[in-house]
Amino acid sequence: MKKFWIMAMAAVLLCGCARQVETAETVADLWEAPALAAPREIRLELPGEALECAMESDTGRLYLGSSYDVEVQTLSGGDLDATIRSLTGFSREEITLIQTRAEYPQRWEFAWACAGERGERIGRGVIIDDGTYHYCLCALQDADVTDCQIVWSEVCNSFALS
């Protein structure tokens, strides 16, 4: 009976023992950046007037019209302030930024005025943020043009990701 109690006590004391999983961390000599997802395709309906693609690169396109130009580009995401500054020249505090879509992907719209080579220019922009990239649309038009047939709200509303 004494042996039975000793065995029962040993079993009770040993049932809480388990093998601990050890985690190991390795250190490499070179830092390897994680692979980024490929940028998504941009869908945009440009005005019916004859637009010429003046410049094209891996990250964007520039279209020139008679009194306006449209720029579509893909920038690395993360810093919305830097993206706004690179598009407009203004900081986030200097322009009114309206978030029009809070769910994924996020969408911001804004407008600004600036000086151009031929006088005042009016700009309108859209940024779509998918978490990895900022997909940007900027349209600049001369302020003194009154006969432009383009409805910029339709152009900006057609700007989306495929």
Side-chain angles (χ1 to χ4, degrees):
M1 186 75 161
K2 194 175 193 183
K3 288 183 183 180
F4 173 74
W5 286 108
I6 292 175
M7 296 279 280
M9 293 301 280
V12 168
L13 291 175
L14 292 177
C15 70
C17 297
R19 182 176 163 235
Q20 292 184 355
V21 178
E22 293 185 26
T23 56
E25 184 175 332
T26 60
V27 178
D29 290 336
L30 298 174
W31 182 74
E32 294 180 17
L36 292 176
R40 295 172 59 182
E41 288 290 321
I42 295 174
R43 195 178 59 224
L44 176 65
E45 293 177 23
L46 292 174
E49 293 182 20
L51 280 178
E52 294 183 25
C53 183
M55 223 184 285
E56 186 172 357
S57 70
D58 293 340
T59 60
R61 292 186 187 121
L62 175 65
Y63 299 94
L64 296 178
S66 58
S67 63
Y68 60 89
D69 46 295
V70 177
E71 182 181 9
V72 178
Q73 59 182 322
T74 303
L75 302 173
S76 61
D79 190 1
L80 185 62
D81 296 333
T83 300
I84 292 170
R85 184 168 296 280
S86 71
L87 296 175
T88 65
F90 295 105
S91 68
R92 187 174 184 174
E93 292 80 27
E94 295 173 318
I95 64 171
T96 301
L97 188 66
I98 300 170
Q99 187 173 1
T100 58
R101 187 182 309 152
E103 70 272 357
Y104 176 83
Q106 294 177 331
R107 180 183 175 107
W108 290 277
E109 295 190 26
F110 51 95
W112 75 100
C114 62
E117 294 175 1
R118 295 176 288 195
E120 289 282 321
R121 300 199 85 189
I122 300 170
R124 183 164 177 178
V126 178
I127 299 173
I128 298 175
D129 183 5
D130 70 350
T132 306
Y133 295 101
H134 288 159
Y135 303 92
C136 309
L137 167 70
C138 284
L140 280 169
Q141 179 179 356
D142 294 338
D144 58 352
V145 174
T146 59
D147 60 345
C148 185
Q149 300 296 320
I150 300 171
V151 180
W152 290 112
S153 60
E154 292 176 6
V155 173
C156 290
N157 289 338
S158 71
F159 182 66
L161 301 178
S162 296

